[in-house]
């Protein structure tokens, strides 16, 4: 379903990047880093309009020819980015939200682990 998933720190360096096709890693890394600019713009405009009632799910950041890029930002400024193939037209916004909630719950479980050092690169299957 997802072509690439990334967890980005609040300082904008990748903590975790997983792609479905290892041959296109560089292409997905470029797409993920490009989406960080869009995330920053959306977060700044949301913070100006609503003080503390910020929506974590940012929605579609931008579409490319082959992929759609979605974003999610936690309260601690950790960013989750999911790249989905454009051919998946059956995906609804609710399903993408649910995917981000699962990623966020998994990340929260990992951070709560007493053996995890904050800011360290995430290594997982």
């Amino acid at each position: 379903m997802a072509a690439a998933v990334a967890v980005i720190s609040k300082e904008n360096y990748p903590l975790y990047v997983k792609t479905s096709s290892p041959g296109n890693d560089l292409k997905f890394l470029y797409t993920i880093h490009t989406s960080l600019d869009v995330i920053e713009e959306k977060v700044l405009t949301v913070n100006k309009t609503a003080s503390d009632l910020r929506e974590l799910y940012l929605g579609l950041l931008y579409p490319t020819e082959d992929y759609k890029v979605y974003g999610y930002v936690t309260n601690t400024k950790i960013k989750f980015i999911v790249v989905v193939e454009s051919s998946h037209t059956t995906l609804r916004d609710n399903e993408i939200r649910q995917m981000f909630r699962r990623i966020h719950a998994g990340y929260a479980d990992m951070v709560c682990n007493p053996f995890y050092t904050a800011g360290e690169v995430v290594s997982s299957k």
Side-chain angles (χ1 to χ4, degrees):
M1 182 154 116
V5 176
V7 178
I8 308 294
S9 73
K10 58 184 167 185
E11 290 87 16
N12 289 337
Y13 63 86
L15 295 173
Y16 178 78
V17 177
K18 182 71 174 177
T19 61
S20 61
S21 57
N24 290 336
D25 284 347
L26 188 61
K27 178 180 178 180
F28 286 121
L29 281 174
Y30 176 72
T31 303
I32 289 166
H33 281 287
T34 304
S35 65
L36 290 176
D37 293 333
V38 179
I39 289 174
E40 291 299 320
E41 286 178 16
K42 285 195 173 202
V43 167
L44 287 177
T45 57
V46 168
N47 281 341
K48 288 179 183 174
T49 58
S51 59
D52 289 330
L53 302 172
R54 187 166 60 94
E55 175 67 30
L56 300 175
Y57 175 66
L58 298 175
L60 179 67
L61 299 177
Y62 67 92
T64 63
E65 291 178 11
D66 302 323
Y67 303 103
K68 291 181 181 176
V69 182
Y70 294 91
Y72 184 95
V73 178
T74 67
N75 291 331
T76 57
K77 304 280 194 257
I78 300 295
K79 301 157 195 80
F80 302 124
I81 299 170
V82 173
V83 181
V84 180
E85 292 180 6
S86 293
S87 61
H88 288 292
T89 56
T90 58
L91 278 178
R92 288 179 276 152
D93 210 38
N94 240 3
E95 293 169 343
I96 300 293
R97 279 182 199 262
Q98 193 69 337
M99 187 185 328
F100 277 120
R101 285 188 190 123
R102 287 187 197 136
I103 294 170
H104 191 181
Y107 179 77
D109 288 344
M110 183 207 57
V111 170
C112 290
N113 182 349
F115 300 108
Y116 175 73
T117 306
E120 190 175 284
V121 175
V122 180
S123 60
S124 175
K125 298 178 201 173

